[in-house]
Amino acid sequence: MTNDNALMVESTISLLLLLIQVPATAILFSRLLKGPRRLAPIEPQQPTLELLGKVSVVVPTLNEALRISPLLAGLSQQSYEVREIIVVDSKSSDGTPDLVKATQQKDPRFRVMTDDPLPSGWVGRPWALHNGFLFSSEGSQWFLGLDADIQPHPGLVAGLVKTAEAQGYDLVSLSPQFILKYPGECWLQPALLMTLLYRFDPAGINTEQPERVMANGQCFLCRRSVLAAVGGYSSASGSFCDDVTLARNIAVQGYKVGFLDGAKVLKVRMYEGAMETWKEWGRSLDLKDATSRSQLWGDLWLLTSVQGLPLLIVLTFLLISPPHSYSLQTGLIASLPTPPLLLLGLNLFLVVIRFAMLIAIAPSYDRKSAKGGWLFWLSPLADPLAVLRIFLSAFRKPREWRGRKYSGEL
């Protein structure tokens, strides 16, 4: 191929990539610009008398004995705003109910119940939460769903309820501070998290479009009257991302839904190592159960354009691009035609944004006891892998979750 032909091919490919990436970059930039307007992170607060007995806490469990103890201890430190703490156990075989009963001896607000057999069309987690909601006191004004791996700080519930009431939320969930321990997850987990941050508005921004609402079921506060009005968790019965599905269904009904930064009030230890993070968290991040097919394809295009491709394109220019493109004396671009030059500039810009985002999310991670915690700063190198994970899960329905197998009826 002649030099002129090579330049023409390079320019054509660059133009095609620019057509794909420029609109996606504009969308990403419009979302990131909302960051300065977001609400401040939730702070722990002391309860006041008007909060007395306002909240029923429900925790779904299935073989959580190895990680539920910090949650039980943290919930015991919540004050009189918590009326009851209902642990809905799905026939654990590892002694999880015994740990709850031991805590109940010290704190009578705790109760443990076993949910009914899982009906056809239901996923285990929403079924357990639905049973807990039906079993909870009608005297409570708020329903708070918490996952067993959450580590709540004192003042979490009071701060959450006060913020929800002050802001007029009917439903509000929190993003936690993630605890990292092993090198692989320090590298992979932030890249997977970034797939969410790139698709949705920042935590603390009131999203106006119901289909773009984000939620986190690890800490999920909803007015009891609103949850009753939508039939509890029945509208998210078959969803593996029931939190987002339910939040969007509630937003469609005209209720105010919020997603806030909770890094100062709760931590979470989700998965042990990179492989478990890849398998368990990665297969729900696509949010396909709460998303239309067109929106899913749009999100895949966006992630590919602004997260999956930039580093690959920059490395391609540096390592594979023909020698005519560079000045060997200065190391600077010397004679790139305009389209390749624009493409390189755009992707360098996207890489800079990615590292800036890494700095921004650093407070969302507890790396104090992590082995290889420095790999967190190299997590942008895992971006193509993270985007690939979303593709792999986007078109495949899970058949096993947390040790439970599901039929093809879901």
Side-chain angles (χ1 to χ4, degrees), residues 139-408:
S140 296
Q141 295 181 27
W142 292 93
F143 169 95
L144 176 58
L146 293 175
D147 278 0
D149 51 8
I150 283 291
Q151 301 179 17
H153 300 337
L156 159 66
V157 179
L160 182 54
V161 173
K162 284 186 175 183
T163 301
E165 292 184 342
Q167 297 296 326
Y169 288 120
D170 298 296
L171 186 161
V172 62
S173 59
L174 300 183
S175 63
Q177 185 180 56
F178 298 95
I179 301 171
L180 299 179
K181 289 187 178 181
Y182 302 114
E185 65 190 79
C186 291
W187 180 69
L188 178 62
Q189 210 269 11
L192 289 171
L193 176 65
M194 199 62 62
T195 66
L196 292 174
L197 300 181
Y198 275 13
R199 281 180 283 168
F200 303 102
D201 291 333
I205 292 294
N206 292 326
T207 305
E208 297 178 357
Q209 299 171 297
E211 68 273 12
R212 305 308 305 184
V213 161
M214 187 55 193
N216 178 23
Q218 293 170 322
C219 183
F220 191 91
L221 181 75
C222 186
R223 293 186 191 273
R224 182 183 174 83
S225 59
V226 171
L227 200 53
V230 299
Y233 276 77
S234 59
S235 66
S237 60
S239 176
F240 286 95
C241 57
D242 57 271
D243 45 6
V244 179
T245 300
L246 183 58
R248 291 179 179 177
N249 290 339
I250 288 174
V252 165
Q253 301 297 319
Y255 296 106
K256 186 176 181 181
V257 176
F259 180 59
L260 305 179
D261 185 347
K264 294 183 177 181
V265 291
L266 73 159
K267 296 183 179 183
V268 61
R269 175 68 185 149
M270 289 177 62
Y271 301 113
E272 296 297 321
M275 290 304 296
E276 190 174 346
T277 301
W278 170 272
K279 178 183 177 183
E280 299 292 347
W281 199 36
R283 63 183 172 185
S284 64
L285 284 175
D286 55 83
L287 305 182
K288 58 180 174 290
D289 293 342
T291 304
S292 68
R293 184 53 61 98
S294 60
Q295 184 180 335
L296 179 60
W297 277 108
D299 286 346
L300 292 174
W301 158 69
L302 179 81
L303 289 177
T304 301
S305 300
V306 299
Q307 187 178 358
L309 287 177
L311 196 60
L312 295 177
I313 290 175
V314 170
L315 291 176
T316 298
F317 271 101
L318 294 176
L319 302 177
I320 304 175
S321 193
H324 74 267
S325 300
Y326 300 94
S327 166
L328 297 178
Q329 290 78 14
T330 63
L332 299 176
I333 297 169
S335 58
L336 274 176
T338 300
L341 183 60
L342 291 175
L343 181 66
L344 179 58
L346 174 65
N347 284 278
L348 284 171
F349 174 67
L350 288 169
V351 170
V352 170
I353 286 179
R354 177 62 177 85
F355 277 95
M357 288 293 293
L358 191 61
I359 296 172
I361 67 170
S364 296
Y365 285 92
D366 180 349
R367 295 174 284 118
K368 292 190 292 289
S369 60
K371 299 176 182 177
W374 58 272
L375 287 167
F376 169 83
W377 299 107
L378 297 182
S379 63
L381 298 176
D383 279 1
L385 196 62
V387 174
L388 173 63
R389 186 65 185 93
I390 305 302
F391 268 91
L392 292 175
S393 62
F395 305 104
R396 184 182 303 170
K397 191 79 171 181
R399 295 301 170 210
E400 182 178 348
W401 197 274
R402 294 285 192 181
R404 255 184 172 150
K405 296 185 183 297
Y406 295 92
S407 69

